[in-house]
C-alpha cells in the first residue's frame, strides 16, 4: 500500500510490532517493575523514567548501545520484547520499589559491559535498552 500512496515501505520482519512493544511495557507495569504514570521526584519537577511511556518511547526508538555507543540492532530490541513477554514476573527484574532505593538495591538489574563498566537497567531482558 505504501507505494500506491507514495510513501516509503516500512521494514517488515525485524521490527517488533507496536502492539508487542506496548504489550511488553504493559507487562512491566502489571509485574510491578515500572510505574504506570510519570514518577515525580521528591524535589518536584517531572521525571520520565521507569514508567510506561518511558518504556514505550525507548523500545520504539532504541537508544545507542550503553556499552559500545553504537545504534542497537532491531534484533536486540525484538529479543528483549520477546523475553519480557515470556519471562515470569518474579524473574524479570527488581520491583519498582527496589529500583528507587538507589545504591542499596539488589544487583539483579545491573547490566555489565565488556569494558568493566556497568549500568542499571529495568529488566534482565533488555540489554541496556531500558537503562536509567
Amino acid at each position: 500500500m505504501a507505494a500506491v500512496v507514495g510513501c516509503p515501505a516500512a521494514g517488515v520482519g525485524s521490527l517488533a510490532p507496536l502492539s508487542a512493544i506496548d504489550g511488553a511495557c504493559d507487562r512491566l507495569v502489571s509485574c510491578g517493575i515500572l510505574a504506570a504514570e510519570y514518577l515525580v521526584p521528591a524535589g518536584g519537577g517531572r521525571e520520565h523514567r521507569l514508567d510506561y511511556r518511558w518504556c514505550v518511547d525507548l523500545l520504539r526508538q532504541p537508544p545507542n548501545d550503553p556499552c559500545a555507543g553504537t545504534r542497537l540492532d532491531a534484533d536486540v530490541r525484538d529479543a528483549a520484547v520477546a523475553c519480557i513477554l515470556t519471562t515470569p514476573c518474579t524473574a524479570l527484574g527488581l520491583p519498582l520499589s527496589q529500583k528507587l532505593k538507589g545504591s542499596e538495591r539488589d544487583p539483579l538489574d545491573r547490566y555489565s559491559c565488556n569494558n568493566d563498566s556497568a549500568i542499571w537497567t529495568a529488566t534482565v531482558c533488555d540489554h541496556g535498552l531500558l537503562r536509567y
Side-chain angles (χ1 to χ4, degrees), residues 28 33 84 92-93 99 108-109 121-127 130:
L28 293 177
I33 292 171
I84 291 167
L92 192 52
K99 287 177 173 41
L108 179 65
D109 292 344
T121 189
T123 73
V124 298
C125 294
D126 66 60
H127 304 286
L130 299 176

Side-chain angles (χ1 to χ4, degrees), residues 100-114:
L100 299 177
K101 285 188 171 184
S103 62
E104 301 172 24
R105 67 179 165 254
D106 186 294
L108 179 65
D109 292 344
R110 189 177 167 105
Y111 181 74
S112 297
C113 300
N114 290 336

Side-chain angles (χ1 to χ4, degrees), residues 41-101:
R46 286 177 52 154
E47 184 71 11
H48 185 41
R49 297 186 329 177
L50 296 174
D51 62 34
Y52 173 81
R53 177 57 40 207
W54 169 81
C55 175
V56 170
D57 290 347
L58 286 177
L59 292 180
R60 286 186 180 170
Q61 294 292 320
N64 287 342
D65 184 312
C67 299
T70 57
R71 180 62 71 192
L72 279 164
D73 198 327
D75 291 340
V76 172
R77 189 258 323 271
D78 294 351
V81 168
C83 179
I84 291 167
L85 291 171
T86 59
T87 302
C89 288
T90 55
L92 192 52
L94 291 177
L96 181 61
S97 60
Q98 289 293 312
K99 287 177 173 41
L100 299 177
K101 285 188 171 184

Side-chain angles (χ1 to χ4, degrees), residues 10-34:
V12 180
S14 68
L15 296 178
L18 295 181
S19 61
I21 290 171
D22 291 341
C25 295
D26 280 336
R27 184 147 196 284
L28 293 177
V29 169
S30 69
C31 288
I33 292 171
L34 297 179

